[in-house]
Every structure is written in structure tokens, then in C-alpha cells.
């Protein structure tokens, strides 16, 4: 016996899970929405996506290699996800340099300045998105008309999103029922035939990705169901109170970034609670804040803000929603 | 696919490691006794036994060679006949050198009065007190791995009463099959042993928990159990760590042992099937604990086997008998892959706690690169005790021991489910163990004995 044996503590066998596998599962889950975005917005969507992914990965590499002087971890796939999600959250005609600025804010500020993957309190892609949104509001809200629709409306190049139509309309005291005629049908909303950020238009494609992630146990149902349910519930309450002033819940959940946010952004492991109970509270509060911003706030859309606000509460939620510890409950003595 | 429906299991956490019961169909073989064996005097929890033989003494199999060193301690018996050649420290599976009695083996002479015939003896003639005393004398300890002396468990503290006995035939560690084979080959003896323990405890009910991946054992014991009053065989869902005492108790009785408490606090005593067999041999055959079944296995092992091995036989002999050490071996583990202990040499003796020897390839011996925690919460979701391993690790890393203690770090059973599931390959259990040992040390310093 002249060989050196490895001596380490148990366990001596490990599951097949890896950070890389999780990240690539998320990428796979985003494929349907990506394909829909190409179908709807064509080359523009591809352009934005490639620039965002490339610049995100590059920033991560440069910062890790030259500023932090650590081994770059771009292979883990997380920077690709950030880039892709950032692209999904902007219009397909955004100027290239704005995309790069967004990537820099997402990776450099929101992720690396906190210590990289796992340490960032806020979802990097959303930080990048919100930064772009407040810095370049015009560019961020001029939405190209989807190619499919463009054949019918030949002269239009950009259009308002359903949510901004509603926001403007309600502000000018037009009744909700009247606005409905100017809006895409539910079917269009569900399949994605509307203007908007490139990745958020098709609820169906996002749902497919979500089912895949739940199947692969990358996410659980708690956050998406709680968040979408809460949007429906709270907007439903308002709609029930005054259907002329507030839009119906179906419209609220199918528009804007509700599906993208609920399935891919709020469920980001790093910035969401640990326990099912915490996840449900987190999801419900995101839904509530989303509705409050949409209905009472200055912006037509509130998902990004709602998620970022709740990201800040995650440590608190985790503190109060611990798993039930074994042996603490009262025992039935035999 | 399991034929059983609605199987019981424990409710929180747990994992499904890949099953590799390579030696499940291999009948138990007796392993030849080598020329020299070293029997450690500390093969159980509690105080080491004190040697009572001298060099050049001639001993027989089953003769007491070291006497119990206290209440939580047992006798050690000669596991081969021959001449005591050395009483000195030798390396044992812990990696430390500890006192052992070395015997130069000559033949296989058994001590007077020990019955070696395989005839089944059903009638139990000893009283409760006599049984407990006899088990203590014969060195019977829990053979599931913890090696806790059985007489202590069978003597509940004042005011605590057992109302149910659980027999652990779960064997949830992947790879290990020693209990499985024992249930198939010594079913009758195990059930009689169970009855003896029931009598010693004064309980009328006993549940034998067996995971559904051992359908032959479940079927065999269920058939036999019809002839024994109060013994019920319960198939369980395959879920690691079901063989852990607390998880088995919850799976079978829905009772939870309070933090810091013992199974007896909820009226339960748990014994392993191997222990039940040892109890049978001690009480019905007057045979002290001198041997046990050990699985030798691994994906690269030529002939994965189940051996009946005398204590003190070097582990290298077992590996040799199973086809030799594969070239690509990187780790030798005493026990299973989840909770076993890596050895730094195969030249250590088999003891009462050795349930298996597992050889792992070099490639699988290396751990992955440790990445940042991505807060995936898998460790939290899979912890059977409702702990938050990621949090415990970071508290220990930062030296926040008081907080770690508040988070019930001491309740961790070290099953390893957290580290198993961690996608970032974080050494969660290593840090939890470190924290536990530091906190335990502090507690000992605070409360003078």
C-alpha cells in the first residue's frame, strides 16, 4: 500500500446538482421566450440580446480579472443569464450603447460590487433595467410594433404598450370599458402579439419555461403562483369596486412583466427567500406593490420596482420564516 | 418501482442518493481468520474496557479479555483462540493509536458453554434483569454504527417508560447490504432477538422498519412475524436518512424526540437488526459478540461481498477477499458513502461498529471546487431536522458560535444531506462539525463535572 488515500469527512458522494447546471437550466427555460422575441421583433431582438449577453460576460470577466484579481467565473452561466434577462427587459430598438451601459450597471454595480454571484442583494438584470428606465425614459418606452402586427398597420413604427394606453386613458378620464376596444385581445396578450420589452410579451412562452424550471426543481411554484395570484387578487378587488376605473385582473396579469418577473426575476435564488413560507409572502407582496404602482403610481408598469423593493426585504423575511425545527414542537409522550 | 403503496417515511427533508446495493444477492460468507489479529479495547461508546489478560496468556474464542470500564462500557472478548502476543497501541479506524490486544491465532477453540449449532431456540427462559445483565456481560452494543452499549438503552432512567420497540432494518446507506443479508438469512433469529429485547423492556409492541428497496427481506420477515406476538414488519419509503434514529421514530410512530432529548423521552427504544441478532446469540446461545457481518463493496470492487468477520481482522484482509484493492482506489471508507469515515490506511481492525467497507475511485474521491453560496435553499429544504445549513456554516466561519447554538447546530445529526445537495460544493457539514465541536468544548468548560 504505497498509494496516498484521500481522507475527508463524510459525505463521500454527492448529488448531480451544480451551479452551472442550474444556470444552464434557466437559459434553456428562456429559449421559448427568446424565439418568440425573434419572431415578434426580428433582427432587433437578436441584436439587443447578443449585445447584452456579450457585454455582461465581458464586464464580469474584466472586473474579476483586473479589478478584483480573482479567477473569472464566466463559465458558470450566471452572467449570460443576467445579459439575457436584461435584454428581455428592454425594447428591441434600444441604442447599442445604452444596452452596454445597462450591462455595466447590472454586472459591475449590482453584482460585482457586492462580491459576485450569490452575494448581490438585488437582481442585477433588474437593477440594470431600472437604471436605464430612469436614465433614458424615452428610449426605454418607445416600443417597436411587433412584425406580425406591422403587416396590418404599415405606417406605424412604434406603439404604446397596453399598460401605457391604459395609464394615459384612465388619466384622461376615459372609462376602462372604452379603453378595452383599443387594446389587444387576451389571446394576443397570451401569445405575445403586442408591443413591449422583447422578452415579456408572450405569457405562453414564459409559462413553458416556468414549467421546465419547476420540473427541473430549479424553482418552486411558490413565488410565481403567489405573485401572479396576488396581482390577480388585488387588481380584482379594485376592478370589483369600480370596473370603469380599473382594469380587470386578467388584463393585469397578462400585461407588462408579470409573467417574466414572476417566473424568472422574482425567483432568482440569490435574491429571494429560502423557505416556501417566505417565498409566498415575498410573492404576495411583489404582487401587491405591482398593482399599487400600476394603479396609483406615476409609472404604467411596476413589476421591476416591486421585485427590487422586495429584494431588500429578503433578509428580514428569511429571519422570520425559518423552517420548523425538528424537536421544538410539543411532543406527544407515549 | 415499488409494489407498496402509501409507504411511511419521515415528513421533512431527506434525499435520494443513487442506490448501489451491489452485494445484495451475495450470501454471507465466513472470512478466514488471519494469523494475527488485534482487538481494540474500545469498540463502543463510553469508557474503554480494561485488559485482564497478560502477554503469553492462552485465550479461547469468547473469553473475556478486557472488562467493562464503567457503566457505559462493555466487555471485550477474544474473537480468535491463540496466544496474547502484544498489549499495545495500534492504529484503529479513528486514525488514532489506541490500546488493543493482539492475539497470535492458533485454531478456532471456543470458550466452554457457547453453543455453535445453528438450531433455533425459541423459548426465552431468562428474566428481564438476567437478560440485561447477560447482554452487558456479552459485550452487546448497537451494531447500526453508534455502538452504544445495549444494557444502558434497556435500562431507562427513572420515570421514563418505553412503550414501543423499533427495530431498524432500514439500511438507508447506499452500497451497504449487511443488514439486508442478515434479515434474509437470519430472520427467525432476529425476531426471537426482538422478543428478548421486548421482554427486557417490558413492551408488548415492536415495529420492524425496512425500506421498500428490500422487498425480499420484507416478505421473508413478514411471513415469519406471523408467529410472533406483537411484532409488525413495516415497509418504508426509500428516503435517506431514514436509518437515523430520530427519522425512523418519526416515520414509524409520528413522535418527535425533543431537542436535547432521547428516544426514551417519547417512549421509544430503537435497536438495529444486527443487534437483535446479537441479542439472540447472547441469550439463547450464550455467545458473546465476537463477530459481525461486514459489506465490502464499491463500483470497482471485483467481487462485492458480505462477510462474517471476527473483530480484530485487518480491513485489508476483507478487501483482499473481495478481489483486492482496485488500482484506481482513492478513498477507503469504513461505513457507507453518506456517513462513513475515510481511512488513511486499510491496516486497521474491524470492530463492532464496522458495518461496511467501501472503496471509492480516485475520480470520485475529489471534491468539486467550492463556489459562492447562491442561496438555492436546497440545504434548507433537504435538512431532515429543519436546520439551515448554509446559515450554520457562515456563522461558524465568522466565529458566531452563540448564534450557531441558538440556531440548534447541536441538533444536527451529520447525515450529510446538505452537503450532498449543495450545487456550489460547499463544505457545509465540515463547518457544522467544526462548530459543534467548538460549542461542545465550550459547554464542557462551562459546566465543571
Amino acid at each position: 500500500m504505497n498509494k496516498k488515500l484521500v481522507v475527508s469527512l463524510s459525505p463521500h458522494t454527492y448529488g448531480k446538482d451544480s451551479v452551472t447546471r442550474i444556470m444552464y437550466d434557466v437559459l434553456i427555460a428562456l429559449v421559448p421566450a427568446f424565439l418568440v422575441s425573434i419572431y415578434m421583433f426580428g433582427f432587433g431582438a437578436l441584436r439587443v440580446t447578443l449585445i447584452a449577453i456579450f457585454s455582461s460576460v465581458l464586464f464580469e470577466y474584466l472586473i474579476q480579472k483586473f479589478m478584483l484579481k480573482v479567477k473569472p467565473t464566466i463559465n458558470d452561466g450566471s452572467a449570460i443569464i443576467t445579459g439575457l434577462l436584461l435584454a428581455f427587459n428592454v425594447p428591441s430598438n434600444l441604442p447599442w450603447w445604452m444596452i452596454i451601459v445597462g450591462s455595466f450597471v447590472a454586472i459591475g454595480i449590482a453584482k460585482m460590487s457586492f462580491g459576485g454571484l450569490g452575494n448581490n442583494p438585488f437582481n442585477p438584470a433588474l437593477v440594470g433595467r431600472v437604471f436605464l428606465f430612469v436614465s433614458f425614459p424615452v428610449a426605454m418606452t418607445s416600443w417597436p410594433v411587433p412584425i406580425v402586427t406591422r403587416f396590418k398597420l404599415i405606417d406605424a413604427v412604434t406603439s404604446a404598450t397596453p399598460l401605457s394606453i391604459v395609464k394615459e386613458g384612465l388619466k384622461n378620464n376615459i372609462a376602462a370599458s372604452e379603453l378595452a376596444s383599443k387594446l389587444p385581445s387576451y389571446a394576443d396578450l397570451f401569445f405575445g402579439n403586442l408591443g413591449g420589452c422583447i422578452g415579456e410579451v408572450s405569457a405562453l412562452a414564459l409559462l413553458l419555461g416556468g414549467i421546465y424550471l419547476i420540473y427541473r426543481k430549479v424553482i418552486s411554484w411558490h413565488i410565481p403562483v403567489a405573485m401572479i395570484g396576488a396581482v390577480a387578487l388585488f387588481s380584482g378587488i379594485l376592478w370589483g369596486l369600480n370596473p370603469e376605473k380599473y382594469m380587470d385582473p386578467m388584463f393585469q396579469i397578462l400585461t407588462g412583466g408579470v409573467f417574466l418577473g414572476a417566473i424568472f426575476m422574482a425567483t432568482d435564488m440569490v435574491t429571494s427567500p429560502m423557505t416556501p413560507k417566505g417565498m409566498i409572502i415575498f410573492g404576495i407582496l411583489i404582487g401587491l406593490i405591482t398593482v399599487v404602482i400600476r394603479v396609483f403610481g406615476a409609472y404604467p408598469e411596476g413589476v421591476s420596482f416591486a421585485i427590487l423593493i422586495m429584494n431588500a426585504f429578503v433578509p428580514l423575511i428569511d429571519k422570520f420564516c425559518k423552517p420548523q425545527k425538528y424537536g421544538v414542537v410539543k411532543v406527544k409522550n407515549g | 418501482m415499488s409494489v407498496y403503496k402509501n409507504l411511511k417515511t419521515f415528513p421533512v427533508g431527506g434525499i435520494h442518493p443513487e442506490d448501489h446495493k451491489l452485494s445484495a444477492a451475495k450470501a454471507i460468507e465466513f472470512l478466514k481468520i488471519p494469523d494475527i489479529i488485534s482487538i481494540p479495547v474500545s469498540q463502543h461508546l463510553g469508557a474503554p474496557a480494561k485488559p485482564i489478560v497478560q502477554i503469553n496468556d492462552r485465550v479461547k474464542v469468547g473469553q473475556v479479555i478486557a472488562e467493562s470500564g464503567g457503566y457505559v462500557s462493555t466487555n471485550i472478548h477474544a474473537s480468535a483462540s491463540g496466544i496474547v502476543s502484544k498489549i499495545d497501541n495500534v492504529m484503529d479506524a479513528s486514525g488514532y493509536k489506541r490500546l488493543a490486544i493482539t492475539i497470535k491465532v492458533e485454531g478456532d477453540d471456543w470458550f466452554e458453554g457457547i453453543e455453535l449449532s445453528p438450531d433455533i431456540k425459541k423459548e426465552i427462559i431468562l428474566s428481564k434483569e438476567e437478560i440485561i445483565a447477560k447482554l452487558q456481560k456479552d459485550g452487546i452494543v448497537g451494531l447500526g454504527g453508534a455502538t452504544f452499549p445495549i444494557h444502558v438503552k434497556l435500562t431507562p432512567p427513572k420515570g421514563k417508560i418505553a412503550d414501543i420497540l423499533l427495530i431498524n432494518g432500514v439500511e438507508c446507506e447506499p452500497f451497504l447490504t449487511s443488514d439486508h443479508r442478515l434479515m434474509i438469512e437470519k430472520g427467525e433469529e432476529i425476531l426471537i432477538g426482538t422478543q428478548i429485547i421486548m421482554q427486557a423492556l417490558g413492551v408488548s409492541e415492536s415495529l420492524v422498519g425496512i425500506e421498500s428497496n428490500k422487498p425480499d427481506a420484507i416478505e421473508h420477515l413478514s411471513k415469519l412475524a406471523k408467529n410472533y406476538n406483537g411484532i409488525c414488519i413495516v415497509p418504508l419509503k426509500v428516503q435517506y436518512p431514514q436509518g437515523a434514529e430520530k427519522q425512523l421514530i418519526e416515520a414509524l410512530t409520528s413522535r418527535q424526540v425533543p431537542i436535547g432529548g432521547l428516544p426514551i423521552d417519547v417512549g421509544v427504544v430503537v435497536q438495529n437488526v444486527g443487534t437483535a441478532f446479537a441479542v439472540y446469540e447472547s441469550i439463547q446461545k450464550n455467545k458473546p459478540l465476537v463477530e459481525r457481518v461486514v459489506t465490502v463493496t464499491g463500483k470497482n470492487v471485483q467481487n462485492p461481498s458480505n462477510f462474517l468477520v471476527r473483530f480484530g481482522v485487518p480491513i485489508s484482509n476483507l478487501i483482499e477477499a473481495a478481489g483486492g484493492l482496485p488500482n484506481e482506489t482513492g478513498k477507503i471508507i469504513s461505513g457507507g458513502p453518506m456517513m462513513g469515515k475515510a481511512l488513511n490506511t486499510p491496516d486497521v481492525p474491524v470492530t463492532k461498529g464496522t458495518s461496511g467497507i467501501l472503496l471509492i475511485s480516485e475520480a470520485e474521491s475529489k471534491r468539486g471546487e467550492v463556489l459562492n453560496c447562491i442561496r438555492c435553499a436546497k440545504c434548507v429544504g433537504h435538512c431532515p431536522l429543519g436546520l439551515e445549513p448554509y446559515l450554520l456554516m457562515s456563522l461558524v466561519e465568522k466565529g458566531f458560535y452563540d448564534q450557531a447554538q441558538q440556531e440548534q447546530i447541536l441538533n444536527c445529526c451529520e447525515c450529510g444531506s446538505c452537503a450532498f445537495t449543495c450545487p456550489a460544493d460547499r463544505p457545509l457539514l465540515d463547518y457544522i462539525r467544526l462548530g459543534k465541536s467548538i460549542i461542545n468544548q465550550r459547554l464542557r468548560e462551562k459546566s465543571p463535572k
Side-chain angles (χ1 to χ4, degrees):
Chain A
M1 192 60 216
N2 48 10
K3 242 168 54 175
K4 287 226 165 103
L5 291 170
V6 178
V7 178
S8 63
L9 294 174
S10 66
H12 307 286
T13 180
Y14 295 90
K16 293 198 171 67
D17 257 344
S18 73
V19 171
T20 314
R21 200 219 83 182
I22 290 172
M23 295 300 167
Y24 284 96
D25 265 344
V26 176
L27 287 173
I28 291 169
L30 285 165
V31 166
F34 176 63
L35 294 179
V36 170
S37 77
I38 304 278
Y39 176 70
M40 292 293 165
F41 302 108
F43 177 73
L46 186 64
R47 179 191 69 100
V48 172
T49 309
L50 289 181
I51 296 174
I53 290 177
F54 183 75
S55 55
S56 292
V57 173
L58 187 69
F59 282 128
E60 177 145 316
Y61 178 82
L62 294 175
I63 290 169
Q64 286 183 322
K65 176 112 184 161
F66 298 106
M67 286 180 68
L68 303 175
K69 304 212 188 317
V70 294
K71 203 178 126 213
T73 55
I74 52 170
N75 289 332
D76 66 18
S78 65
I80 304 177
I81 294 180
T82 300
L84 189 56
L85 285 177
L86 177 68
F88 274 21
N89 277 291
V90 300
S92 61
N93 58 354
L94 196 72
W96 61 269
W97 61 271
M98 286 189 197
I99 306 168
I100 293 176
V101 169
S103 299
F104 177 75
V105 173
I107 296 289
I109 295 174
K111 188 177 176 189
M112 285 305 153
S113 61
F114 289 101
L117 181 63
N119 298 328
N120 49 295
F122 299 101
N123 182 307
L126 279 180
V127 173
R129 191 248 169 128
V130 166
F131 178 86
L132 291 176
F133 189 64
V134 296
S135 310
F136 314 109
V138 178
M140 282 292 285
T141 52
S142 71
W143 316 97
V145 176
I147 293 170
V148 192
T149 328
R150 221 175 288 165
F151 293 118
K152 299 178 215 157
L153 304 152
I154 298 149
D155 52 343
V157 179
T158 60
S159 74
T161 64
L163 280 174
S164 51
I165 295 171
V166 168
K167 190 89 197 173
E168 281 303 305
L170 292 176
K171 211 158 71 183
N172 298 324
N173 288 321
I174 304 172
S177 53
E178 207 174 308
L179 285 172
S181 61
K182 295 184 189 167
L183 296 169
S185 67
Y186 286 155
D188 278 345
L189 291 177
F190 189 67
F191 292 111
N193 190 9
L194 65 149
C197 295
I198 59 180
E200 70 187 26
V201 290
S202 172
L204 176 67
L206 295 165
L207 201 58
L208 284 178
I211 291 167
Y212 175 77
L213 288 183
I214 290 172
Y215 168 73
R216 295 283 287 169
K217 295 200 168 100
V218 173
I219 64 171
S220 65
W221 58 267
H222 301 88
I223 293 175
V225 169
M227 178 176 153
I228 296 171
V231 170
L233 177 73
F234 295 121
S235 61
I237 292 171
L238 293 172
W239 181 62
L241 290 174
N242 188 350
E244 287 304 308
K245 206 162 162 242
Y246 304 105
M247 297 303 293
D248 64 281
M250 197 58 171
F251 173 83
Q252 293 287 11
I253 62 169
L254 288 177
T255 52
V258 173
F259 270 67
L260 180 64
I263 295 168
F264 290 98
M265 318 288 272
T267 53
D268 170 19
M269 293 168 173
V270 177
T271 57
S272 64
M274 292 271 199
T275 57
K277 196 168 133 199
M279 289 176 183
I280 287 175
I281 293 172
F282 179 75
I284 289 175
L285 290 174
I286 291 174
L288 174 65
I289 298 170
T290 300
V291 174
V292 167
I293 294 176
R294 279 185 181 184
V295 174
F296 305 106
Y299 297 107
E301 162 65 333
V303 172
S304 308
F305 291 108
I307 294 173
L308 287 177
I309 290 167
M310 287 313 299
N311 283 165
F313 285 96
V314 165
L316 214 57
I317 294 175
D318 275 340
K319 198 172 165 187
F320 289 105
C321 299
K322 286 179 169 296
Q324 175 64 52
K325 286 191 173 69
Y326 178 98
V328 174
V329 288
K330 279 271 160 265
V331 292
K332 351 172 188 169
N333 203 332
Chain B
M1 288 301 111
S2 166
V3 292
Y4 308 100
K5 280 187 187 136
N6 302 321
L7 291 173
K8 288 186 174 184
T9 187
F10 55 98
V12 173
I15 54 169
H16 278 282
E18 235 176 282
D19 224 357
H20 291 285
K21 305 278 191 182
L22 308 169
S23 47
K26 300 283 183 64
I28 300 167
E29 289 170 66
F30 180 74
L31 189 83
K32 197 176 150 284
I33 309 167
D35 295 341
I36 289 197
I37 62 172
S38 289
I39 307 164
V41 296
S42 183
Q43 302 188 33
H44 46 260
L45 274 187
K50 296 187 189 96
I52 54 162
V53 289
Q54 258 124 45
I55 291 178
N56 289 331
D57 278 3
R58 189 168 286 275
V59 294
K60 290 183 175 180
V61 185
Q63 182 181 336
V64 178
I65 52 172
E67 264 177 357
S68 167
Y71 179 59
V72 186
S73 183
T74 67
N75 290 344
I76 298 289
H77 304 75
S79 46
S81 57
I83 294 168
V84 176
S85 63
K86 224 166 45 177
I87 302 175
D88 199 3
N89 289 335
V90 294
M91 173 102 80
D92 69 6
S94 69
Y96 291 100
K97 286 197 165 182
R98 289 193 179 136
L99 196 61
I101 297 167
T102 302
I103 295 172
K104 208 165 145 261
V105 180
E106 291 172 353
D108 195 23
D109 275 347
W110 285 72
F111 201 65
E112 296 77 35
I114 297 172
E115 204 187 314
L116 294 172
S117 79
D119 308 338
I120 304 282
K121 266 174 86 175
K122 285 198 176 182
E123 202 193 347
I124 305 161
I125 46 172
L126 297 184
S127 73
K128 184 179 163 156
E129 289 72 24
E130 285 169 325
I131 291 171
I132 296 175
K134 173 80 175 133
L135 294 176
Q136 177 168 20
K137 196 174 141 274
D138 281 349
I140 313 295
V141 300
L143 294 179
T147 61
F148 195 72
I150 189 170
H151 63 272
V152 184
K153 265 199 198 177
L154 298 187
T155 318
K158 265 213 173 83
K160 307 243 160 97
I161 300 163
D163 67 347
I164 190 164
L165 169 69
L166 304 184
I167 298 293
N168 189 345
V170 170
E171 201 159 56
C172 60
E173 275 273 11
F175 286 98
L176 299 191
T177 58
S178 53
D179 287 349
H180 185 181
R181 286 315 304 177
L182 204 60
M183 287 189 278
I184 289 172
E185 295 178 37
K186 304 284 178 192
E188 198 91 42
E189 288 89 336
I190 289 171
L191 295 182
I192 298 167
T194 303
Q195 286 215 312
I196 296 168
I197 303 171
M198 286 164 73
Q199 193 166 321
L201 279 171
V203 304
S204 53
E205 195 191 354
S206 173
L207 302 175
V208 184
I210 307 172
E211 282 192 346
S212 62
N213 59 358
K214 298 178 256 303
D216 46 353
I218 295 172
E219 200 188 332
H220 180 58
L221 285 189
S222 299
K223 222 177 270 167
L224 295 176
K226 285 183 188 133
N227 304 320
Y228 293 85
N229 276 339
I231 302 180
C232 186
I233 312 298
V234 187
L236 296 168
K237 198 177 151 192
V238 179
Q239 180 94 322
Y240 178 87
Q242 194 142 238
E245 209 165 53
K246 287 175 179 175
Q247 274 59 52
L248 185 67
I249 292 170
E250 205 174 5
L252 288 173
T253 67
S254 303
R255 299 177 193 175
Q256 260 193 18
V257 181
I259 281 186
L262 293 169
I264 192 71
D265 293 329
V266 289
V268 180
V269 169
V270 183
Q271 292 294 347
N272 174 269
V273 285
T275 319
F277 177 65
V279 166
Y280 167 85
E281 291 208 308
S282 156
I283 303 299
Q284 306 295 76
K285 300 281 186 173
N286 193 31
K287 190 175 156 190
L289 192 57
V290 294
E291 59 191 3
R292 70 162 295 152
V293 183
V294 181
T295 303
V296 183
T297 183
K299 285 180 204 162
N300 297 320
V301 171
Q302 219 174 58
N303 185 21
S305 314
N306 301 295
F307 294 119
L308 183 65
V309 189
R310 297 282 170 83
F311 301 134
V313 173
I315 280 165
S316 51
N317 280 44
L318 277 72
I319 297 172
E320 218 42 62
L325 193 73
N327 277 333
E328 58 274 33
T329 303
K331 234 186 214 181
I332 300 177
I333 291 159
S334 168
M338 290 305 299
M339 292 187 83
K341 202 169 175 319
L343 303 176
N344 54 7
T345 163
D347 298 317
V348 297
V350 167
T351 61
K352 294 177 182 178
T354 313
S355 51
I357 300 299
L358 169 66
L359 306 181
I360 289 186
S361 73
E362 264 166 58
E364 284 180 87
S365 302
K366 288 179 188 125
R367 290 187 178 185
E369 192 193 346
V370 178
L371 305 174
N372 281 355
C373 170
I374 56 167
R375 293 176 40 87
C376 68
K378 285 183 198 288
C379 60
V380 180
H382 289 285
C383 177
L385 297 169
L387 304 176
E388 294 167 279
Y390 83 97
L391 179 65
L392 296 176
M393 173 173 170
S394 89
L395 291 174
V396 172
E397 239 179 336
K398 293 176 186 133
F400 296 162
Y401 302 114
D402 291 339
Q403 252 172 290
Q405 204 181 336
Q406 272 167 28
E407 296 288 345
Q408 303 297 351
I409 192 172
L410 294 180
N411 209 24
C412 167
C413 68
E414 306 188 11
C415 71
S417 298
C418 52
F420 180 89
T421 55
C422 181
D425 290 318
R426 296 179 69 70
L428 295 162
L429 184 51
D430 303 45
Y431 273 90
I432 291 172
R433 282 202 181 99
L434 176 68
K436 280 175 77 174
S437 72
I438 292 171
I439 292 164
N440 276 325
Q441 172 115 28
R442 287 177 158 200
L443 290 176
R444 276 195 299 272
E445 280 163 11
K446 260 187 223 164
S447 60
K449 276 176 197 153

